[in-house]
Amino acid sequence: MQQHKNFLQLVKTRHSVRKFLDQPIDKAALYKCVEAARLAPSANNAQPCRFMVVDEPELKEKLAKHAFNGIYTSSRWVSQSPALIVILTHLDWISDRIGKQITGIHYYFVDAGIAGEHFILQAQELEIETCWIGWFSSKGVKKALNLPHKYQPVAIIAAGYSDTKKTVRRKRRSLSEICWFNEIK
Ligand SMILES: Cc1cc2nc3c(=O)[nH]c(=O)nc-3n(C[C@H](O)[C@H](O)[C@H](O)COP(=O)(O)O)c2cc1C
């Protein structure tokens, strides 16, 4: 078990993984990740996110067939992941309509992003690797999973174990480039 001495170190070990071992993730571990997501903050505490874990091979295939076709074929590899966590947001009237109309901010997408990252970082602590997938057919996901109209798929998290422990760090902008105190640069 890797030891993460502090939060930043945990964050630094995370990177997107797109190839997994053929090893299932146990339910308790997945529940722990969803628990971390459940505790995420949300606008007006609306808690709009729902998490559908897809780990049955037939359903994964069905999901892949509908969600990753046409212009989305580059995401086909996702179906090889041991578990796919579909993050749904419940199109709640207040956060969806009123909030967006007044401030222009889509709070339910923000909420889903925060909850999804909570999931991912908890997974990282458990040495479960992940990749956030945003390139999929929303219509296809709804069809494959028979989703009621009120749920909007926002992301699919591909999750599994990996035998390559090396961290492939993608470049990030420097702190001075992204952070300003008291003035815009
Ligand atoms: C909103 C969002 C959508 C993404 N969509 C995809 C995707 O469809 N396919 C994919 O392979 N990676 C996807 N990624 C992963 C990013 O490419 C990756 O996080 C980024 O290149 C930084 O690399 P790192 O995660 O290894 O640090 C997505 C990430 C985010 C946050």
Side-chain angles (χ1 to χ4, degrees):
M1 187 69 146
Q2 277 174 31
Q3 289 304 314
H4 304 285
K5 287 198 205 84
N6 60 45
F7 179 71
L8 196 55
Q9 221 168 3
L10 173 73
V11 171
K12 284 179 177 173
T13 61
R14 188 217 59 82
H15 62 278
S16 296
V17 169
R18 297 177 178 85
K19 199 169 181 352
F20 302 103
L21 296 171
D22 186 16
Q23 185 184 328
I25 308 174
D26 124 335
K27 260 197 173 143
L30 287 165
Y31 271 125
K32 196 169 179 184
C33 298
V34 178
E35 172 66 358
R38 186 180 74 86
L39 297 172
S42 59
N44 203 28
N45 200 25
Q47 306 173 58
C49 296
R50 304 292 182 269
F51 303 84
M52 181 160 176
V53 180
V54 178
D55 62 357
E56 283 174 10
E58 305 79 48
L59 190 58
K60 268 194 289 182
E61 256 321 300
K62 187 179 177 197
L63 179 59
K65 197 178 120 205
H66 289 92
F68 310 132
N69 61 16
I71 57 165
Y72 305 104
T73 346
S74 61
S75 298
R76 265 264 153 179
W77 64 268
V78 172
S79 66
Q80 303 302 313
S81 319
L84 303 178
I85 298 85
V86 183
I87 303 184
L88 307 167
T89 187
H90 183 183
L91 298 179
D92 164 72
W93 198 77
I94 294 193
S95 46
D96 179 30
R97 304 268 161 76
I98 302 184
K100 195 172 71 189
Q101 253 172 37
I102 299 173
T103 65
I105 300 169
H106 297 239
Y107 293 109
Y108 48 97
F109 289 146
V110 178
D111 296 339
I114 298 170
E117 188 63 2
H118 272 213
F119 181 102
I120 280 178
L121 290 173
Q122 178 56 71
Q124 192 64 37
E125 197 200 33
L126 298 171
E127 298 190 7
I128 297 166
E129 312 288 345
T130 56
C131 186
W132 185 290
I133 305 299
W135 192 242
F136 58 81
S137 156
S138 186
K139 230 169 123 182
V141 172
K142 286 180 187 167
K143 187 169 179 192
L145 303 179
N146 293 321
L147 294 180
H149 181 67
K150 64 185 176 186
Y151 293 123
Q152 162 84 36
V154 177
I156 297 175
I157 297 176
Y161 296 100
S162 165
D163 52 2
T164 53
K165 290 289 164 212
K166 66 172 188 240
T167 298
V168 197
R169 183 127 300 285
R170 293 202 72 181
K171 260 194 168 256
R172 295 296 199 262
R173 295 180 200 278
S174 68
L175 257 187
S176 61
E177 209 183 331
I178 62 160
C179 175
W180 309 301
F181 273 60
N182 309 314
E183 57 176 336
I184 191 94
K185 284 190 181 150

